[in-house]
Structures are given as structure tokens and as C-alpha cells.
Amino acid sequence: MAAQFGRRLRKGAATTAVAAVAVAALSASQAPGVNDHGRQTAADAGPSPEAGASDGSATGNSPYYTDLPPLKSPNPSPSTGPAPGGQGETEAGIPATVLDAYKKAEASLRESKPGCNLPWQLLAAIGRVESGQARGGRVDAEGTTIGKILGPQLDGNGFALIRDTDNGAYDGNSTYDQAVGPMQFIPSTWAWAGRDGNADGKKDPNNIYDAALAAGHYLCRNNWDLSDQDDLDRAILSYNNSREYLNLVMRWLEYYRKGTHEVPDGTGTLPDNRSDDGAGARPSPSAPGTPSSGASKPKPSPRPEKPGGGTTTPKPPPTSPGTPSAPPSTSPTPTPTPTPTDTVHHLEDAGTAKLTAMAGDTFAQRISTRAETKAGKAVAKVRIRFTILGDTDTTFTGGESVATVATNSSGVAVAPALRAGEKTGGVTVRATVVGRTVPGLDYTATVTERAADTLARTGDAALTCTPGGEFANQVEVKATYKGAVADGVAATATLIKSADDPTANDKGPYFKDADGKTVRTLAGLKTDGNGLLKLPKLYADDTTGTFLLRISTAGGATLTVELTVTAAETSSPSPSASPSA
């Protein structure tokens, strides 16, 4: 039985006629230059089967949770465990996988739509209002909700009227549509707005990674810049067209901007207040489209529009004298079924080999971590987060410093390959369990400097010169390492005294520095992208003879080149003519 996250009220149109009038009024405000704080329909949304109040809305203007953020400001905390205490700190905690999905969606939109300036805290605010952060983070290792989160069926009775558009594929209802998943998309909107946020080849509205990325793209359409308040208002109102909804989301947005921290999955704070049946009601499992309690519950009366926007809250009808109040619910709170993450006791290395790579290269070895119970049994379908720590430019392939991988059937998660940066030395990678506080497991990777094991001249022309002259040919060499091009390798060139004495010579050929002065050692040289190194021009003093140029690189490659300085040949004089007799 699908789990419905409460009967969530939204101030929908009472009748199709009223809804149509509201939509017409909204459409009229969309002319260029009109700014009514975003009361617009979505330009790129497909039309609904019914001309109802849901047009242009991600949620079909479904109900939402009305809990306000606490007055106490949260304190930022890097902790991955439960909040230390205090209402503000508790409310600021976001389940680890849900928070990860929001941040990944922000990073994706930063690349694909940088002009949108989407903050992940906006997704968190909407996720809080729409589903209480996926029912407090009740998701599996892939980020899919444990049980579906469904809004009430949109049958026009106190809500918008949206007849079935997906044949029940997403919401299980083949008569009317229902908002689905942690970000509460209606099927007709998901059909065009859905995204694959976790790269599993599917677009699932019940998956927080897919839903968060879809919500980000939905909010970033129409070239909206969410750093501009007017565009931000438009985007939020297009998600659920209500001034109260806008104000509520903005309050949560500002609250999360003041500080958040992650808490284990399944331990997030659940909302108490739902505007369809007041305060104090807790969500309970129910079949799609049925009340959450055993008794039939009347639909709330629609709230009439206030002048200038918004709605008024009708007063409840008086209770007749002598009418007994409904007894409070005494149903015990069901014990949550432990997720695989809940059973993890510790992490173990799963046979990771020595992690060593040259600067700029991809590590041949990959980190492997196994999640285990207290008894040492492997735990599958657990998300392991690998984080590169400290001041380093080493990353995972793709340029990220954090990667999250689910354990396989053997309980093992294999991190993406590491790519060494230019900073040499040790690099620490920490493995932790997403959504559970257990000690992390640290791995040390070593980045060595770029090296070459072979140097060879690229030409074979003789290197000769006359005293006081300039060598006609420049020395060029190519560096390789295990047969591959060795680019970016540091090298030194020295004009040495002899094969047995590598100290710099004090006579013979020389280089010139920037000031034209004689130098016989060049340090700080580096091979180019093709492994080539071309030395500056060489000059000769007045000393003749054979001289040696030695080139050496990191990694031990050495090449000695012979230079010859000889005097210019002089022509023999013509024999003298015999004296005449």
C-alpha cells in the first residue's frame, strides 16, 4: 500500500468555473513588462487535460505543509550526527541523502544554467513544505522514497480538477491525478519536467535525486534569475500558485540560509501542521485517494480569494450543544522498518592496493570499502561517501572532491578513480556512511612528481661551432615514461666538465640569461604537452675542443650530448711564380 504523506490542503478552486476565471486572470498578467510578483503560468508547461487551477503548476496547486520555521536561528554545523539539541538546531537538520540531492542539483544547474543562480536552500525550502524532506529522509540507498508520497486525488472537491493523465503509472490512480514524490510533481508536469538525477537511466519522481534536479530545472526555466527577487517570486509561485505558499517557502529559504547540517536518513523532523485538517495531525499510511483515518472526513470548504491576492480562512462551524467530540486517536505509532543503512556498524577496507600516481595521471588503483554489521556481515544498498580532504588539487575523475557510491551485493562500494593534481605528497580520502554516524575510514594516496625514464634527441645533426660563434642547431629532446609521452617533467641542462665530473664547466660553450650574461646551468626547465624540450641557443667562447651537455629529469632519465668547437679552416696559399730568367 502506498504511503500517502497526509491529506495536504491547498487553496484550490471550488469549481472548474472558478478555477478557469483564476487562470484567465493569471494569463492576463503575463504580458511583457507586467510584474505581479510572479503570478504567471509556466511558459514551457504542457496543458492539463482540464482547464483548471493546476495549469502551469508543478504540483497542480496541491496541498502543502504549513509548519513555520522556528524563531530561533539555526547554527551551522559540520556534524553528520543528530542535531545537538534545541528546536532551531533540530529543524535545521536535513537528512543526509536528501541534502546531498539538493546540493548535487545546485551543482548541475550551476553548469547547465549558470544564469539561474539556483541556491540549493531553495530546493530544501520547497522540499520541506511539500514533503517534510521526503518524510524525514525515509529513502533507500539510491535515494528512492520508502513507500510513495502521494497528495490527495485532484478530483475538484476542495482541490483542483485534474483527470488522469498517466493511466496511473506514477500515482496508481487511473481516474484523477495526484502529486507524486518528495517534490510533489503531478504526472502531467513530470512528463516534461522529469530528470534523471542519479544517472540510473530512469526519471523517477519518487527518487529525491531525480525530483530535486527536475525541481531545479523547473524553477530555472523562462530564463529566470533567482538572485532577482521578482524572478524568484515568479518561480516559487509557478510551483504552487499561492501568496501564502510563496511567503512560507521564502521563510524556510531564509532559515536554511542561516545554517544547516545533515542528520541521518530517517531521523528528520516531520511536519505537524497540514492546512487541510489543522494542527497536530501526523501523516499515516493510506491507499491513494482515501482519507488517512478510518472514518470518512468531509472536504474542507474552499477559501475565498482576498482582494489583491491570497485567501481568507473560514471559521469552523459551531458545534451543537451536547455533541460529543471525536475521541483522540490512540493508534500506536508504527515502528519504522530498519533500512540497510540502519544496520551498518562499521566500515572495512575491501582490499585497496597501494594508492600511488604521478602528478597529472589517473591512479591505477581504486578505493574499495565494505559496509558491515556488528557481526561482520556485509550490508548491500548503503550509500558510501568518499571525500578528498585537505589542501590538494587531486580529484575524482570528473573534477569532484566528493563521490557517493552504493554498496553492491557484497557490501562493497568502489570509489571513482582518483586523478592526481600537480601538488605532490600525501592525499587523504575519507569514506563515511551517508545517513548514519559511524567512524569514517581514511585512505592515504601519494602523488609523486612527474617523471621520465628516457630522453632522446629529436634530430641527429652535428652540433659544431667556431670559437666566439653561435651553434647553428638548437638541442631538442623528447621525454617518455614507460614508452608514453612524459609531459610537464622538470629538467635541468648543464654544460659539464667531463663524463666523470658533472659539475658545471667554466669554459667552452654556454647559454645566455635574460641579461645576456653567460650561464652554463639551466634549471626549472619543463617538457611540453608532447614531452618535448627545446633548449635555448648555445654560444662558444674562444676555447676549442669537445665539450659535453648533460640533460637530466625527475625520474632519473639522463642524456649526454657532445658539442664541438673547432677553429675555422684556412685556405692554403698559392705557390709563388718562378722568377724570370
Side-chain angles (χ1 to χ4, degrees), residues 233-251:
D233 288 355
R234 292 184 183 97
I236 296 171
L237 285 167
S238 77
Y239 210 89
N240 199 321
N241 187 45
S242 159
R243 183 64 53 178
E244 289 84 358
Y245 182 87
L246 167 64
N247 293 339
L248 182 60
V249 169
M250 284 301 304
R251 292 184 70 168

Side-chain angles (χ1 to χ4, degrees), residues 10 18-31 34-42 52-57 61 234 237-238 240-243 305 309-310:
R10 189 48 209 99
V18 173
V21 171
V23 173
L26 285 175
S27 301
S29 70
Q30 297 181 55
V34 172
N35 181 3
D36 187 24
H37 282 276
R39 290 184 176 274
Q40 299 173 307
T41 57
S54 64
D55 287 3
S57 164
N61 292 331
R234 292 184 183 97
L237 285 167
S238 77
N240 199 321
N241 187 45
S242 159
R243 183 64 53 178
E305 291 284 333

Side-chain angles (χ1 to χ4, degrees), residues 502-521:
T503 58
N505 209 337
D506 55 2
K507 59 184 178 180
Y510 61 91
F511 299 106
K512 290 182 180 180
D513 64 12
D515 298 326
K517 295 180 180 179
T518 298
V519 292
R520 289 190 168 88
T521 297

Side-chain angles (χ1 to χ4, degrees), residues 122 183 211 239 260 375 400 404 429 489:
L122 175 58
M183 302 304 280
Y239 210 89
T260 58
E400 299 290 338
T404 305
V429 181
V489 178

Side-chain angles (χ1 to χ4, degrees), residues 72 100 116 142 184 277 280 305 336 409 518 530:
K72 180 180 177 181
D100 187 54
C116 176
E142 286 73 35
Q184 289 290 276
D277 54 5
E305 291 284 333
S409 58
T518 298
N530 297 314

Side-chain angles (χ1 to χ4, degrees), residues 221-270:
R221 71 200 194 287
N222 297 336
N223 293 319
W224 283 330
D225 176 1
L226 302 185
S227 64
D228 177 83
Q229 187 62 51
D230 286 344
D231 277 358
L232 179 59
D233 288 355
R234 292 184 183 97
I236 296 171
L237 285 167
S238 77
Y239 210 89
N240 199 321
N241 187 45
S242 159
R243 183 64 53 178
E244 289 84 358
Y245 182 87
L246 167 64
N247 293 339
L248 182 60
V249 169
M250 284 301 304
R251 292 184 70 168
W252 278 106
L253 170 60
E254 293 307 317
Y255 180 76
Y256 285 135
R257 277 175 166 163
K258 293 175 183 177
T260 58
H261 55 273
E262 70 175 45
V263 298
D265 289 347
T267 66
T269 303
L270 293 174

Side-chain angles (χ1 to χ4, degrees), residues 43 74 89 91 128 220 227 334 348 358 377 475-476 480 522 557:
E89 293 170 347
E91 293 286 342
R128 169 71 193 195
C220 284
S227 64
E348 291 284 346
M358 193 183 299
K377 182 179 179 182
V475 178
E476 184 182 64
T480 56
L522 295 177

